[in-house]
Amino acid sequence: MEAATRIRIVLVGTQHPGNIGAAARALKTMGLSRLVLVAPEQYPADEAFRRAAGADDVLAQAPVVATLAEAISDCRFVLGCTARSRRVALEELGPREAASKVVALAAADEVALVFGRERTGLSNEELQLCHASVHIPANPEYSSLNLAAAVQVLAYELRVALLAGHALPDATATPRQELAASHAQMEGLFAQLGETLDDIDFHKGRAPDSAMRKLRRLFLRATLTEQEVRLMRGILADAQRMARLAGAKAPE
Ligand code: SAH
């Protein structure tokens, strides 16, 4: 089940070290081992290792990084797990659908499932880095699972999808299609898109945030390939060049 090695579980800003340990255990029971910790509040901590029980190997090899962007920079598909729907209108997947998509993509690409803080979940800025969200359809009046319990539910679904995928004849041996763009490549595109919109005076004095949020959503939903990102950036570079020429010619 090599696909499992390309699936990483990212915990953002975890407040209780016990939950980190319990998440490590949840992963190991389902045959997963890649945990990444983004700015945990108290870590390393004895409590984490206690709660990991026999899964301290998963903890020991979990990198600790400062930002979510760092944790996912080489990922080509990123899902954010949310206890409730947010203002950020991301496509919302159920756990089963999400797991089968993640496992299919992990045949060739790095993919990530991202979990938020116990108190406040993922911020809107963090969700904007994701291609889609996953929601466990819990009791709508009490929908927030304990962090490690949410990790366990998703890890189980990944396990089921991995076992099913494994039985398929050579699902992973089909010739490689075009590579999906990585998080870092998408951020490069968004940065240039932001600059271009300024260069062509698209915003006309309005704050750029709302348009950029919508454009991010549009392009992330489309899951662009590397080639498509290059094409878009080529078009933007030409638009920027034309804007410079027009600016040079425009009468003061
Ligand atoms: N009070 C927070 C809940 C945080 S629970 C909030 O309202 O957002 C900690 C994390 O567990 C969440 O950020 C999410 O990643 C995961 N989680 C909890 N319940 C979930 C659910 N029903 N579906 C998907 N993820 C869930």
Side-chain angles (χ1 to χ4, degrees), residues 85-107:
S85 300
R86 294 299 174 109
R87 235 173 2 105
V88 185
L90 278 180
E91 182 193 1
E92 190 177 287
L93 305 175
R96 196 148 301 172
E97 207 184 345
S100 69
K101 191 154 185 180
V102 162
V103 166
L105 291 167

Side-chain angles (χ1 to χ4, degrees), residues 10 36 65 68 77 81 101 107 110 180 194 222 230 245:
V10 182
V36 180
V65 298
L68 175 58
F77 189 63
C81 300
K101 191 154 185 180
E110 290 288 326
R230 277 198 293 278
L245 284 174

